[in-house]
Amino acid sequence: MKQENKTREVYEEMLREHEELRELLGKANQLTTDCTASVSEVQEAITSLCEHIGNHFEAEESGGYFEEAVLQAPRVSERVAALKDQHAQMREQITKMVEFVGSFQGTSDHWKELGEHVHRFSVDLMQHENKENELLQEVFTDDIGSKD
């Protein structure tokens, strides 16, 4: 029973973090759509978003959700490895966004380019997070036993 509670807690925490990421992405997308924020607001929002995402990836990879998923269901280890590989690609994207906002000047061209960066990243991240949610739901809610 203790393991079931821990498993449920891990699953629910991951879902909360994914919801938090969706909210932060929504704010970043809104910022780049409105084009009314100051340069410092844009830099702060994008940098904060990128730091949060980097921390989120680290938590998933370092003995966090992924490890718990593989412990519960070794059959998902290849899918977990593929999701970890996607983290590296998305880290490159967020690094480029942070570099871009470091020179952001608020011109119409900059707003357009930043909007494209944020939109592309949002789509990629949401697809990734949906795959993670599906995997976690399969592992932590399917009643097929605690081990493969």
Side-chain angles (χ1 to χ4, degrees):
M1 188 65 162
K2 264 186 174 177
Q3 183 61 32
E4 278 183 31
N5 288 339
K6 181 180 186 236
T7 298
R8 174 57 86 190
E9 288 173 15
V10 167
Y11 175 66
E12 289 175 358
E13 178 64 22
M14 179 69 132
L15 293 179
R16 278 192 296 275
E17 284 196 27
H18 287 178
E19 182 59 33
E20 197 174 307
L21 286 176
R22 275 192 282 288
E23 289 175 17
L24 289 170
L25 282 171
K27 288 177 184 176
N29 276 300
Q30 187 66 45
L31 235 162
T32 61
T33 301
D34 291 347
C35 303
T36 58
S38 70
V39 170
S40 63
E41 288 174 306
V42 171
Q43 291 171 332
E44 183 180 318
I46 298 298
T47 301
S48 176
L49 170 67
C50 294
E51 287 173 0
H52 189 89
I53 290 167
N55 292 337
H56 174 73
F57 289 167
E58 185 66 30
E60 287 179 338
E61 295 169 2
S62 299
Y65 312 120
F66 287 155
E67 183 176 297
E68 186 67 26
V70 172
L71 284 173
Q72 291 295 309
R75 70 184 182 282
V76 301
S77 61
E78 287 182 22
R79 288 167 54 198
V80 166
L83 289 167
K84 285 182 179 181
D85 288 344
Q86 288 178 355
H87 284 181
Q89 296 163 359
M90 287 186 285
R91 279 187 175 100
E92 287 179 29
Q93 284 180 282
I94 61 176
T95 298
K96 288 178 184 175
M97 271 198 296
V98 169
E99 289 171 357
F100 181 78
V101 297
S103 63
F104 186 78
Q105 296 177 1
T107 65
S108 60
D109 287 344
H110 275 198
W111 278 111
K112 182 180 178 193
E113 189 173 345
L114 180 60
E116 290 169 359
H117 280 296
V118 171
H119 176 74
R120 187 172 36 256
F121 181 75
S122 295
V123 168
D124 291 348
L125 183 65
M126 287 301 91
Q127 288 173 348
H128 173 82
E129 297 300 300
N130 287 338
K131 287 177 186 175
E132 284 183 357
N133 287 343
E134 289 169 5
L135 181 136
L136 293 170
Q137 184 173 5
E138 175 187 327
V139 170
F140 296 129
T141 65
D142 285 357
D143 187 19
I144 59 173
S146 64
K147 300 284 183 208
D148 282 354

